[in-house]
Amino acid sequence: MKRKALMNIAASSMIMAVTMVGCSGSQSLKMHAGVASPKAQKNAMAFADRAEKAIGKHDADSAIGAAEAAVAADPSNAAYRVLLGRAYMLDGRFASAETALEDAVTLGDSSSQTVVNLALTKTVLGKAAVARTLLSDHADIIPASDYGLAMALAGDAQEGVRVLSQAARE
């Protein structure tokens, strides 16, 4: 019982750290504009900027509202789905975060930060085996430190230590 509680606390802490450190920034959001009308894209970017600022201030409610508005304005934009997933993670709404991040992957986002966030979300939801598979499948694009820590949190401490030790030696 104590081990599970400790893992949940560790996973939650890691997710919070990743969402704060792994900010994609509004410049990245502008690069992924989809097929929405120019006015919708402009509105979506404004909402995305608000969401980024709210995440930076740890204001989950504002971040979620703004990110949802960005997705509504430009639903085919993967970066806005990632932003929405990060906002949901900040609020502890991991099932919603999982859906938003999976949507982002479906729309073409295969960045290491998105994969790690999705894997951590799956870990918190009790899908550690799926998370480990996801991480293994993308090991070539994930920085060793992120990969090792995420693998350890997903239940493969030996692999996490192996990767982190190797990275430290290099």
Side-chain angles (χ1 to χ4, degrees):
M1 182 72 171
K2 288 182 182 180
R3 179 180 164 103
K4 184 175 181 176
L6 183 61
M7 287 302 291
N8 284 341
I9 291 169
S12 295
S13 297
M14 174 63 179
I15 288 170
M16 288 299 295
V18 168
T19 60
M20 295 308 111
V21 174
C23 294
S24 60
S26 59
Q27 194 64 16
S28 171
L29 296 173
K30 293 173 186 170
M31 291 175 22
H32 296 292
V35 293
S37 71
K39 183 177 180 179
Q41 286 180 9
K42 185 176 180 180
N43 288 339
M45 284 190 290
F47 285 123
D49 286 340
R50 281 190 220 155
E52 283 285 355
K53 289 175 184 170
I55 287 172
K57 293 178 182 176
H58 304 279
D59 182 356
D61 291 336
S62 296
I64 290 169
E68 286 176 342
V71 169
D74 192 355
S76 64
N77 188 310
Y80 299 152
R81 302 286 177 147
V82 171
L83 185 60
L84 181 58
R86 290 177 45 229
Y88 285 142
M89 289 171 74
L90 179 63
D91 196 40
R93 294 171 54 182
F94 298 111
S96 297
E98 178 185 36
T99 300
L101 293 168
E102 285 177 341
D103 289 347
V105 171
T106 299
L107 289 169
D109 186 325
S110 60
S111 69
S112 64
Q113 196 63 48
T114 300
V115 171
V116 169
N117 282 337
L118 181 55
L120 292 172
T121 300
K122 288 184 179 297
T123 299
V124 171
L125 293 172
K127 303 174 184 177
V130 175
R132 288 190 302 271
T133 301
L134 179 65
L135 291 165
S136 294
D137 290 348
H138 295 87
D140 58 326
I141 65 164
I142 302 172
S145 58
D146 292 344
Y147 177 81
L149 187 53
M151 279 299 258
L153 289 171
D156 191 348
Q158 287 181 332
E159 174 66 0
V161 169
R162 183 193 68 77
V163 170
L164 291 171
S165 296
Q166 182 181 357
R169 281 190 293 267
E170 292 174 3

